[in-house]
Amino acid sequence: QVPLVESGGGLVQAGGSLKLTCASTRTAFKDYAVGWFRQTPGKEREFVSGISRNGGNTHYVDSVKGRFTISRDSAKNTVALQIDSLKPEDTAVYYCAARRTILTDQFIRTTPGEYASWGQGTQVTVSS
């Protein structure tokens, strides 16, 4: 497991943008695929986007395609989630998660139970 810290959440108006960042202090983070999930009160944690350990493959849930962009910076040991055209329904706590994978594994897991490391979450609130 690796420690993860999310940042970048906040309160924005609909149509605005935010950039969430997931960072780890461990260099082993480069060996991990990363997923972003979100959760609202009373609902299950929902997969939003994921990226393979080498950044060669990405995946998005249909509701965010074209608005969210995931990327990773190996030099900074971070994975970012750029969120544009925010909607009120994007309001949630956003979590990053990591799972150790082999280099050739490009498949993006979408189930929370498949990720062993989790951050504490960052709140995103979109006002209409």
Side-chain angles (χ1 to χ4, degrees), residues 34-102:
V34 175
W36 281 96
F37 293 77
R38 64 187 179 187
Q39 189 170 25
T40 55
K43 293 189 176 181
E44 294 185 354
R45 200 163 289 189
E46 171 194 30
F47 172 84
V48 174
S49 180
I51 190 166
S52 59
R53 78 176 240 181
N54 67 356
N57 191 32
T58 59
H59 181 60
Y60 302 89
V61 69
D62 286 345
S63 60
V64 308
K65 284 181 179 177
R67 300 189 298 119
F68 289 22
T69 305
I70 191 171
S71 61
R72 70 187 306 159
D73 186 329
S74 297
K76 295 182 179 179
N77 231 28
T78 59
V79 170
L81 186 69
Q82 176 69 40
I83 308 176
D84 299 318
S85 302
L86 276 158
K87 303 176 180 180
E89 52 263 43
D90 294 320
T91 295
V93 177
Y94 284 71
Y95 298 89
C96 71
R99 66 185 306 274
R100 191 163 190 143
T101 66
I102 59 175

Side-chain angles (χ1 to χ4, degrees), residues 3-4 7-8 13-15 26 31 35 37 41 53 66-68 74-75 77 88 104 107-108 111 114 116-117:
L4 302 173
S7 61
Q13 289 187 334
R26 301 279 177 83
D31 298 331
F37 293 77
R53 78 176 240 181
R67 300 189 298 119
F68 289 22
S74 297
N77 231 28
T104 55
F107 185 72
I108 307 298
T111 304
E114 297 180 283
S117 302

Side-chain angles (χ1 to χ4, degrees), residues 9-39:
L11 172 64
V12 296
Q13 289 187 334
S17 298
L18 282 174
K19 185 176 183 177
L20 308 183
T21 300
C22 175
S24 180
T25 56
R26 301 279 177 83
T27 56
F29 186 54
K30 64 178 175 56
D31 298 331
Y32 286 69
V34 175
W36 281 96
F37 293 77
R38 64 187 179 187
Q39 189 170 25

